[in-house]
Amino acid sequence: MLSSKEFWTKKTLVGLGLGQFLSLLITSTGFSSSELARRGINVPTSQSFLNYVLLAIVYGITMILRKRALKAKWYYYVVLALVDVEANFLVVKAYQYTSITSVMLLDCFTIPCVIIFTRFFLKTKYRIKKLTGASICIAGIVIVIFSDVHASDRAGGNSPLKGDLLVIAGSILYAVSNVSEEFLVKSADRVELMALLGSFGAIVSAIQISILERNELKSIRWSAGAALPFVGFSAAMFMFYSLVPVLLKLSGSAMLNLSLLTSDMWAVFIRIFAYHQKVDWMYFIAFAAVVIGLVIYSGGDKDDEQHTADVADEDAERSRHFDEEAGPGNSNQSSMAGGSRIGDSNKDDSAPKKGSH
């Protein structure tokens, strides 16, 4: 049995707190998107475009000032940007064809995908405690999805099968994006990741906007009421993307996706306290289940210290491999860069991916 001191470690508390802050950011983006939709503005790729531009500017300038060679090949980031942009697009697009119940349920498919991908590609070892915590989190979401709160929504959209397939495809791409970011942030560099993801994401988004959303943008009548949600969405997404690598480095991609399950619950609390709306009691049971699952998943583990050291060694080996690929002369630069990478100053921060910290 773990003592309270062993369970509530600094790493556990930081992981839980950061995960819930990211969940609140996602909740705020949902409210911004809802306000835009209420005004008849449906340009999901354009909304994401502003976020990518901010990432490219802020982290791109930082990367230029540091004058360091890339630790990973540039085309890795091209593929990641393409996957990330399309994942966002597919899930938002699904709302046009299927019900919100289906989207919420099928979006959870990201979690088992992340667990599978990290197990096979990042060699993450998931103990029974981790799998139990993840299962409780998912069970909490299933409870609320099948509650009477969504009874009127079960009829579905005008093409449920098409919408469901879009969500499943988007969930798989989200998993690929999350696991790829986890690999790159642990093996390469956080600033490099954000700068190139932002740059290539902006390029991919711009191309897609010119093809799919050009006419929609022209028809928008811009006003303060329309611009503020747009800006708010971009600001929240910029903070979200900036902090995601920190949680990925600390706790892994499974913890990230489990934490985001509470975003729907935070939205409910906002509806209760800000809009004085009544909600079904099942939401509170679901929220409690997700919180309990997160605590179980992220709590201390007797073997974590040794496993953390093993993963730190693996990350260091991958980082050296990237340095060698970048070419001779980069090793000195990378050793100087080590202090700026998340977790390099503390091996505990290089902890296993999502399921094994």
Side-chain angles (χ1 to χ4, degrees):
M1 291 291 292
L2 290 173
S3 67
S4 176
K5 185 176 181 181
E6 291 175 316
F7 190 89
W8 294 107
T9 62
K10 178 181 178 181
K11 181 180 170 184
T12 298
L13 294 174
V14 171
L16 288 171
L18 181 56
Q20 289 314 294
F21 182 67
L22 291 173
S23 183
L24 283 169
L25 288 175
I26 285 297
T27 302
S28 68
T29 63
F31 276 92
S32 297
S33 296
S34 297
E35 178 61 21
L36 290 172
R38 189 181 70 82
R39 294 175 176 274
I41 300 174
N42 182 26
V43 285
T45 308
S46 299
Q47 291 175 224
S48 299
F49 173 73
L50 294 178
N51 167 54
Y52 290 123
V53 170
L54 285 173
L55 291 173
I57 293 173
V58 174
Y59 291 99
I61 292 175
T62 302
M63 193 172 74
I64 291 172
L65 292 176
R66 294 195 320 178
K67 298 179 180 179
R68 293 169 182 167
L70 294 180
K71 294 180 69 65
K73 297 295 185 181
W74 62 270
Y75 46 80
Y76 291 174
Y77 297 107
V78 174
V79 175
L80 174 60
L82 181 62
V83 170
D84 197 68
V85 170
E86 298 313 318
N88 289 326
F89 176 79
L90 288 175
V91 173
V92 173
K93 192 72 174 176
Y95 283 96
Q96 297 180 18
Y97 302 104
T98 191
S99 68
I100 188 173
T101 303
S102 295
V103 174
M104 289 176 63
L105 178 60
L106 294 174
D107 197 34
C108 295
F109 187 60
T110 298
I111 295 171
C113 288
V114 163
I115 291 175
I116 293 172
F117 292 163
T118 52
R119 180 67 185 88
F120 284 96
F121 296 107
L122 300 185
K123 307 303 179 185
T124 302
K125 296 178 181 179
Y126 290 95
R127 301 178 181 86
I128 295 298
K129 178 177 74 71
K130 305 294 184 183
L131 296 177
T132 300
S135 299
I136 294 175
C137 286
I138 296 174
I141 292 298
V142 172
I143 288 174
V144 76
I145 288 171
F146 287 104
S147 72
D148 289 337
V149 174
H150 297 298
S152 62
D153 177 64
R154 289 178 183 152
N158 55 25
S159 183
L161 179 60
K162 183 176 181 179
D164 292 348
L165 291 175
L166 287 174
V167 178
I168 292 173
S171 297
I172 294 173
L173 290 182
Y174 273 137
V176 172
S177 176
N178 291 161
V179 174
S180 298
E181 285 188 41
E182 180 179 346
F183 173 78
L184 288 169
V185 78
K186 290 181 176 180
S187 305
D189 183 83
R190 173 176 172 260
V191 172
E192 176 182 309
L193 169 63
M194 291 293 95
L196 295 185
L197 174 60
S199 299
F200 291 121
I203 293 172
V204 173
S205 296
I207 294 172
Q208 188 156 305
I209 290 169
S210 66
I211 297 173
L212 300 178
E213 298 179 4
R214 182 174 52 189
N215 293 331
E216 184 71 24
L217 285 173
K218 289 180 179 178
S219 64
I220 296 175
R221 294 183 178 180
W222 291 103
S223 63
L228 286 176
F230 224 91
V231 174
F233 178 92
S234 299
M237 286 299 286
F238 173 76
M239 293 178 64
F240 178 81
Y241 271 69
S242 297
L243 292 174
V244 159
V246 180
L247 186 59
L248 290 176
K249 185 79 174 184
L250 181 69
S251 304
S253 46
M255 180 63 176
L256 168 65
N257 284 280
L258 290 173
S259 296
L260 297 184
L261 290 179
T262 60
S263 60
D264 293 310
M265 292 11 157
W266 290 124
V268 169
F269 288 132
I270 292 174
R271 284 164 50 193
I272 293 173
F273 294 106
Y275 299 100
H276 306 290
Q277 296 179 0
K278 293 183 178 181
V279 298
D280 192 271
W281 59 272
M282 294 291 285
Y283 266 111
F284 299 101
I285 295 179
F287 185 80
V290 173
V291 170
I292 291 171
L294 284 172
V295 170
I296 292 174
Y297 182 93
S298 60
D301 199 314
K302 292 181 179 179
D303 298 325
D304 277 356
E305 185 175 347
Q306 179 61 44
H307 184 67
T308 293
D310 293 341
V311 172
D313 291 340
E314 292 174 6
D315 293 341
E317 181 61 31
R318 286 198 295 263
S319 183
R320 284 195 295 271
H321 176 69
F322 277 129
D323 289 341
E324 291 171 0
E325 282 190 338
N330 188 48
S331 57
N332 290 336
Q333 290 177 320
S334 62
S335 63
M336 294 171 61
S340 66
R341 295 204 304 274
I342 302 171
D344 283 350
S345 61
N346 185 339
K347 281 194 174 184
D348 284 343
D349 288 342
S350 298
K353 320 18 188 184
K354 261 227 174 113
S356 43
H357 42 295

